[in-house]
Amino acid sequence: DDSTIARLRNKVECNGIVNNILSDMIFVEGGIFMMGGEDENSLPRHQVTISSFFMCKRPLYPKEWDFFLEDSLEIEQNSDDRYHTLFVNVDEGRLEDLAVLCRRLNKITGCNFHLQTEAEHEYAARGGQQSRGYKYAGANTLLYARRLSSKTKPNELGFEYMNFACRFRPEHRFERIHGIAEWCSDYYAPYPSEAQTNPQGPANGTQHVFRSSDSPVWVRNFGENRLLDTWREADWCIRLVCDDTPEAIAAIERSKNN
């Protein structure tokens, strides 16, 4: 992999690609929150303590995936749906490739990037320490929260295209989910009832959890509604997180000054 890293470093676009990722990282101060919700997949609600971290304000772009993996994804072009031309859209089988991408990005930056955990996603979507206590991301009703998500209105911390309304079982990925869905590093398992600190999910599993701006109840009740026949299937997106380390702080500060 060292020869690949050297080749990537020598590419003209390397600094621009890396700086774009670093400059879009948002600091999320750690804290304590109640994770979970009212949906059957999100119970029981339980206390989670989470350390500070950096998270990208938006999902990964195709050009970033292509650069680090030297693997051009086939991006579906549709002028009527901006999601399908904007973000990486990968199935679960490509998450192993993401580990390679992160390893290469880490060697170039000196940081520690990884796919978001469920807890990191939900804490950031709720607004972290800046949370206004909404039931869903940016609103107290699911329908309005979905509208905010589709209009890309940033939440309290500045994150785009993010909504914690939904915790999906892996099998729900075959149902009609609108907009974007985000992979998490956790394997799916029922939530524990006891308090947790920086939960990573079970050590082993068969399928990863994903998050979306729809909810399982919404999908089941309205997924076959003829009014939704023009909806596109979801993009399966990736949002990067970076550990809060001195190396990350220095790299991110340099990127924002460039």
Side-chain angles (χ1 to χ4, degrees):
D1 205 44
D2 288 342
S3 61
T4 302
I5 298 298
R7 184 169 63 253
L8 292 177
R9 287 182 185 275
N10 289 330
K11 288 188 176 183
V12 174
E13 64 269 37
C14 181
N15 286 341
I17 293 283
V18 171
N19 281 338
N20 281 343
I21 294 174
L22 289 169
S23 63
D24 279 347
M25 301 303 289
I26 293 175
F27 178 68
V28 182
E29 183 181 359
I32 300 173
F33 74 108
M34 293 302 296
M35 186 170 177
E38 299 176 356
D39 183 86
E40 61 182 351
N41 295 321
S42 303
L43 293 171
R45 296 190 73 212
H46 56 289
Q47 180 178 292
V48 169
T49 301
I50 197 159
S51 301
S52 300
F53 58 93
F54 291 92
M55 176 179 276
C56 196
K57 71 178 183 182
R58 42 77 185 174
L60 198 69
Y61 291 142
K63 65 180 181 181
E64 294 162 347
W65 176 281
D66 294 349
F67 175 77
F68 287 104
L69 293 176
E70 300 178 303
D71 172 19
S72 183
L73 290 171
E74 294 183 5
I75 305 301
E76 181 178 357
Q77 299 297 316
N78 187 323
S79 60
D80 295 328
D81 190 341
R82 65 179 302 182
Y83 298 125
H84 286 261
T85 60
L86 193 55
F87 301 125
V88 162
N89 181 13
V90 295
D91 62 30
E92 189 170 14
R94 302 300 302 269
L95 293 184
E96 291 183 4
D97 295 327
L98 177 63
V100 176
L101 183 153
C102 288
R103 185 170 65 247
R104 293 174 178 175
L105 177 59
N106 291 342
K107 286 189 175 182
I108 291 173
T109 62
C111 303
N112 186 23
F113 284 89
H114 56 85
L115 178 62
Q116 65 185 353
T117 66
E118 258 204 287
E120 289 166 340
H121 177 97
E122 184 167 326
Y123 182 67
R126 288 181 179 275
Q129 295 279 16
Q130 307 301 316
S131 175
R132 296 172 187 158
Y134 291 126
K135 184 177 180 181
Y136 302 110
N140 285 318
T141 63
L142 179 57
L143 179 60
Y144 188 58
R146 292 178 68 255
R147 287 174 178 168
L148 291 180
S149 178
S150 66
K151 292 178 181 178
T152 70
K153 179 180 178 181
N155 75 350
E156 294 95 325
L157 291 174
F159 291 107
E160 302 170 353
Y161 302 92
M162 180 174 269
N163 201 314
F164 65 84
C166 53
R167 185 188 195 228
F168 276 83
R169 292 178 181 270
E171 59 266 26
H172 285 133
R173 71 189 188 282
F174 299 114
E175 301 184 33
R176 294 179 67 87
I177 300 166
H178 175 59
I180 68 171
E182 295 190 27
W183 290 113
C184 296
S185 61
D186 312 57
Y187 286 112
Y188 181 84
Y191 280 153
S193 57
E194 64 272 13
Q196 294 182 295
T197 299
N198 295 324
Q200 305 290 313
N204 299 294
T206 57
Q207 294 176 310
H208 290 80
V209 179
F210 67 90
R211 295 294 189 114
S212 170
S213 57
D214 283 319
S215 77
V217 172
W218 178 278
V219 170
R220 284 198 297 271
N221 289 346
F222 299 98
E224 298 305 319
N225 189 320
R226 287 186 300 170
L227 294 176
L228 306 184
D229 284 348
T230 58
W231 284 18
R232 304 298 306 272
E233 297 297 331
D235 267 1
W236 303 93
C237 298
I238 291 166
R239 193 182 295 263
L240 293 180
V241 164
C242 179
D243 291 347
D244 178 22
T245 63
E247 293 80 6
I249 293 171
I252 291 169
E253 286 181 352
R254 284 196 302 269
S255 73
K256 295 181 185 295
N257 292 328
N258 286 340

